Amino acid sequence: MPSSISLHSVSAIAYGFRYRAPLKHTCLLYAHQLHSFHRQKPPTLPLFSSSFCRVLNPSFFTGNSLFSRMEQFWSGSAVNRNKGMTEQLRRYGVIKSQKVTEIMETVDRGLFVPEGTPAYVDSPMSIGYNATISAPHMHAMCLELLEDRLQPGMHALDVGSGTGYLTACFALMVGPQGRVVGVEHIPELVAWSIKNVEKSAAAPLLKEGSLSLHVGDGRKGWPEHAPYDAIHVGAAAADVPQDLIDQLKPGGRMVIPVGTFFQDLKVIDKKMDGSISVRSETSVRYVPLTSREAQMKGTD
């Protein structure tokens, strides 16, 4: 049964959150000057609206709603629409880094979503097999959190790589001297993701082998190219898999949603002495990190 909760974090403020499987996270996200919920009430304008969200104030979608004004940025060619999406994320503080801006402008999200879906709307979308592609603001947030561990020559692991979008972004950030591995346990999604990447700016990296996409149980990581400077997990774990912690390089960072009903996006840093620090970035709602069989049945 759907249930709604209030969300808050130091990086963003989310209200009217409601989850309906299989969407990873659906919320109304507020930002202008991004502050803690406890320090300042939310601004009156929403940043983006994701589908399946409980709207606290219907007037957000009429009159001076930012959501309605965003349409002007998402007309014209796919390249212009993708750039417009990225510009909006930057304008409202979700993207702060110039590098993340460049990467999201270079990797066209439209190549990684089902045909006929609104690729540039800030909402998660079903990609079949009880899986989703995250909303653009979540992709941007994860890229921002991992940017320092996605420098040229570094290694990155994308668990639950889905259609390959974020994996392609990682590959462009670490470049041909780096190594990026995407792991997805649905074979059909892996085959589709490879085709998507082949049409994208990351195609040369896939061809030369610095980017690879594999069928496998992401909970076990991908030991062949470990240790990793950056690990991203695109589904919520009840507990952080020990295999992923073991494959995280000293000095590396993992971004992973953790929890069952209530979930937080955790930022896990492994210090040079091997010790671990964990902090919560924001509250989220993702599909569970589970077995292929359970996912296909739509259960935990």
Side-chain angles (χ1 to χ4, degrees):
M1 180 177 181
S3 178
S4 39
I5 59 175
S6 292
L7 308 178
H8 56 81
S9 76
V10 295
S11 63
I13 302 169
Y15 258 25
F17 177 98
R18 173 168 278 186
Y19 170 68
R20 295 185 184 180
L23 294 182
K24 286 181 181 175
H25 35 70
T26 55
C27 63
L28 188 61
L29 180 66
Y30 296 85
H32 186 61
Q33 300 295 326
L34 298 178
H35 293 296
S36 168
F37 172 78
H38 296 294
R39 296 178 182 173
Q40 179 175 315
K41 68 180 182 179
T44 56
L45 286 178
L47 172 54
F48 301 108
S49 59
S50 298
S51 59
F52 297 99
C53 99
R54 181 174 63 87
V55 182
L56 298 183
N57 184 351
S59 67
F60 285 148
F61 295 96
T62 61
N64 64 353
S65 168
L66 174 64
F67 182 75
S68 63
R69 290 183 305 192
M70 292 178 81
E71 293 177 4
Q72 65 183 301
F73 296 103
W74 294 348
S75 59
S77 71
V79 171
N80 288 338
R81 293 197 301 272
N82 191 70
K83 185 175 182 180
M85 176 194 77
T86 306
E87 288 174 348
Q88 287 293 81
L89 290 167
R90 187 175 178 94
R91 181 175 293 116
Y92 288 91
V94 181
I95 298 176
K96 303 175 183 68
S97 158
Q98 182 59 36
K99 184 63 174 178
V100 171
T101 300
E102 292 171 0
I103 292 298
M104 289 191 69
E105 286 182 350
T106 301
V107 181
D108 184 359
R109 179 178 163 88
L111 300 175
F112 295 86
V113 300
E115 187 175 354
T117 58
Y120 310 104
V121 171
D122 189 49
S123 173
M125 296 178 188
S126 173
I127 56 174
Y129 311 99
N130 289 320
T132 62
I133 180 172
S134 297
H137 74 266
M138 286 304 303
H139 284 149
M141 181 183 294
C142 291
L143 288 169
E144 287 275 337
L145 289 169
L146 291 170
E147 180 185 6
D148 289 345
R149 278 77 172 183
L150 292 169
Q151 298 301 309
M154 290 185 172
H155 285 209
L157 174 66
D158 187 17
V159 173
S161 50
T163 64
Y165 173 80
L166 209 55
T167 324
C169 291
F170 291 167
L172 288 176
M173 292 183 81
V174 305
Q177 302 306 314
R179 194 69 171 82
V180 173
V181 176
V183 180
E184 168 61 56
H185 59 194
I186 305 296
E188 294 87 350
L189 287 179
V190 174
W192 183 24
S193 69
I194 291 172
K195 292 179 180 178
N196 295 339
V197 173
E198 287 174 341
K199 294 181 287 185
S200 78
L205 301 173
L206 180 68
K207 184 176 181 180
E208 68 188 27
S210 60
L211 163 60
S212 59
L213 296 149
H214 305 274
V215 178
D217 186 342
R219 296 171 296 182
K220 299 177 181 178
W222 198 259
E224 180 181 351
H225 298 292
Y228 297 98
D229 299 277
I231 297 178
H232 167 265
V233 182
D239 299 292
V240 180
Q242 186 61 45
D243 285 338
L244 297 184
I245 293 176
D246 292 344
Q247 292 174 37
L248 189 63
K249 185 178 181 179
R253 170 172 288 183
M254 182 191 318
V255 174
I256 177 173
V258 177
T260 51
F261 185 80
F262 295 102
Q263 300 171 2
D264 288 312
L265 189 67
K266 300 288 187 181
V267 178
I268 300 174
D269 291 320
K270 180 179 280 190
K271 300 177 183 178
M272 296 308 295
D273 63 3
S275 62
I276 298 294
S277 67
V278 182
R279 66 177 172 85
S280 294
E281 178 69 16
T282 188
S283 298
V284 292
R285 188 65 176 172
Y286 280 64
V287 295
L289 183 66
T290 186
S291 67
R292 178 180 183 274
E293 293 73 21
Q295 180 172 323
M296 295 301 288
K297 292 177 182 177
T299 65
D300 292 359

